[in-house]
Amino acid sequence: MSKVLDGITVIEQGTFITGPAAGMLLADLGADVIKVEQPGAGDPFRAFKGGLYSPHYQTYNRNKRSIELDAKNPDDARLFDELIRDADVYIQNFRPGAAERLNAGEARLRALNPRLVYCAISGFGQTGPAAGRPAYDTVAQAASGFLNLLVNPDNPRVVGPAIADSLTGFYAAYGILGALVERARTGVGRSVEVSMLEAMCHFNLDAYTHFFSEGEVMGPYSRPSVSQSYALTCADGKKLALHMSSPEKFWRGLANAMERPDILRDPRFATREGRIAHHEQLIAVLDGVFAGRAREEWCRRLTEEDVPHAPMYDTAEALQDPQARHLQLEIEGVHPTLGAWRTVRSPVSFDGQRASEVTPPPLLGEHNTQIRATLASRNPSSRDPS
């Protein structure tokens, strides 16, 4: 299957999540992403569970090639420059100033390649009073106001996956793609900057819009009450989720599925406004009803009545759902030394063709010889492949 970014070369000098996530998104679209890593250790995420191939690393590094280069080694530094001269995109997620110390600052790389799209990802931005502060996922979620919408006020614990890290990678890839489109018109590369703080503030746009327009500071239960969303436990201990939204037909369907038409005659629950105002009381009613039947039975009833719902699957269950299997979300690649490797495919299809092919994440320096040989063939002055 042809790839929409076939022919685009990306040099990624990323670590942990944000930079590698951006590189992976471009790789999923067919770009040749070359991951430049420190000899012997590589991306620190490699070693999070011992060894150099942790699940953390695997998550964000499929469809890439890996080369080890030491910026302090003159031969390696020269090879890095050769990679940049032939590249379309460079990605780094160092703290501001670190790239310059590694001779990978924008000004120097742009002098090597004026067509280069240079992407710098940071925690708090390239300038400003917080620019030099360390930032990880939870820090960005908190600083943007987003974490306040997730944490239970009565039991304040951080929950969920690395949302800020992943989303910042998405925004970086989005900016890179825009710069590549412009470069096709102008022939000149762009500097693309995105910070985790900016990404999460933009992702949190709904909360800010409510504040700007109504002066409302949203909390963890603001949206669920308005959207009429519920997480309910069934008789077998399994959970399902409802998202009723605003159409009254869904509530009529729910009342039918529950065999409780009286609920919609209750003045508290007869209108959308009433259901929002009495959300806690409605949760208590639904909890009692749904505790009376197993989840499979509830799903059958809700499907028959066209009520928006889904089982609350865990990771082991979700991809076994008939719809997930129909969409072929789970795919497999084969690593030349590690064997079969499973992942979830890119969600984007082109011309009806799903992204069913995948290359497993590379071992550290897996493509040292291959990439060095390619550079040597282009430039006879390059050292022999090793």
Side-chain angles (χ1 to χ4, degrees):
M1 166 175 143
S2 63
K3 300 282 190 174
V4 293
L5 290 185
D6 185 36
I8 296 295
T9 300
V10 178
I11 307 304
E12 178 219 297
Q13 210 165 10
T15 59
F16 296 105
I17 298 179
T18 57
M24 184 188 74
L25 290 169
L26 300 176
D28 282 354
L29 295 178
D32 178 16
V33 178
I34 299 174
K35 187 176 181 73
V36 175
E37 303 189 71
Q38 188 67 21
D43 184 337
F45 235 25
R46 284 182 174 274
F48 257 45
K49 280 206 168 185
L52 293 174
Y53 207 68
S54 74
H56 304 81
Y57 160 77
Q58 292 179 48
T59 301
Y60 301 100
N61 288 283
R62 67 190 185 196
N63 291 326
K64 299 179 184 179
R65 297 192 287 164
S66 169
I67 184 172
E68 296 170 284
L69 293 177
D70 182 355
K72 298 178 182 178
N73 180 297
D75 287 336
D76 282 5
R78 180 165 50 79
L79 287 174
F80 175 77
D81 286 357
E82 290 180 28
L83 287 172
I84 293 298
R85 287 189 183 96
D86 290 331
D88 298 284
V89 178
Y90 171 78
I91 301 172
Q92 53 95 339
N93 61 322
F94 305 130
R95 284 203 214 184
E100 284 72 19
R101 293 192 293 273
L102 293 171
N103 284 323
E106 182 194 359
R108 198 184 82 82
L109 299 196
R110 182 141 344 267
L112 295 172
N113 182 356
R115 289 174 52 82
L116 187 70
V117 173
Y118 185 102
C119 180
I121 304 170
S122 62
F124 289 98
Q126 297 296 318
T127 60
R133 284 173 50 191
Y136 288 100
D137 182 85
T138 304
V139 173
Q141 286 195 43
S144 66
F146 188 77
L147 188 61
N148 190 57
L149 301 178
L150 296 183
V151 169
N152 181 343
D154 299 323
N155 182 24
R157 293 183 57 186
V158 176
V159 297
I163 298 173
D165 282 329
S166 297
L167 282 170
T168 303
F170 269 92
Y171 279 109
Y174 159 80
I176 289 167
L177 291 173
L180 286 173
V181 170
E182 184 194 51
R183 193 192 68 175
R185 297 194 305 266
T186 66
V188 179
R190 278 272 193 176
S191 170
V192 177
E193 294 180 3
V194 60
S195 71
M196 295 172 70
L197 176 60
E198 291 167 298
M200 286 309 295
C201 284
H202 185 271
F203 186 71
N204 201 21
L205 189 57
D206 181 58
Y208 286 112
T209 302
H210 278 77
F211 177 70
F212 294 149
S213 63
E214 301 291 339
E216 176 188 358
V217 176
M218 298 179 75
Y221 306 122
S222 299
R223 177 193 160 276
S225 66
V226 173
S227 66
Q228 288 293 286
S229 300
Y230 302 88
L232 303 167
T233 303
C234 304
D236 52 4
K238 297 179 179 179
K239 295 179 173 59
L240 63 77
L242 300 175
H243 187 125
M244 302 302 294
S245 190
S246 56
E248 285 297 315
K249 67 175 183 177
F250 293 145
W251 282 100
R252 292 193 296 270
L254 179 61
N256 290 339
M258 296 190 301
E259 299 177 2
R260 288 288 305 272
D262 59 296
I263 284 181
L264 296 183
R265 294 194 292 270
D266 188 318
R268 297 172 299 171
F269 312 138
T271 65
R272 180 171 184 266
E273 292 75 16
R275 293 188 288 267
I276 292 172
H278 299 94
H279 193 225
E280 292 293 328
Q281 295 96 315
L282 187 48
I283 289 174
V285 171
L286 295 179
D287 277 342
V289 174
F290 274 78
R293 290 186 171 92
R295 184 171 72 181
E296 185 176 354
E297 172 66 10
W298 279 121
C299 288
R300 183 188 66 78
R301 287 169 169 260
L302 295 169
T303 299
E304 289 177 352
E305 296 290 343
D306 196 35
V307 177
H309 75 284
M312 283 181 58
Y313 289 135
D314 62 24
T315 311
E317 298 174 299
L319 297 183
Q320 302 310 310
D321 182 274
Q323 184 62 26
R325 293 176 69 86
H326 168 77
L327 293 173
Q328 299 171 304
L329 289 172
E330 180 180 324
I331 59 174
E332 183 175 293
V334 178
H335 191 277
T337 58
L338 300 180
W341 182 82
R342 294 185 298 167
T343 189
V344 174
R345 68 170 175 82
S346 168
V348 181
S349 298
F350 294 97
D351 297 327
Q353 290 186 307
R354 297 170 182 151
S356 60
E357 298 177 0
V358 67
T359 301
L363 298 174
L364 177 60
E366 181 176 329
H367 302 93
N368 283 345
T369 299
Q370 179 189 80
I371 295 172
R372 289 172 183 269
T374 300
L375 291 175
S377 68
R378 292 175 185 169
N379 182 0
S381 66
S382 297
R383 66 181 180 181
D384 292 334
S386 59

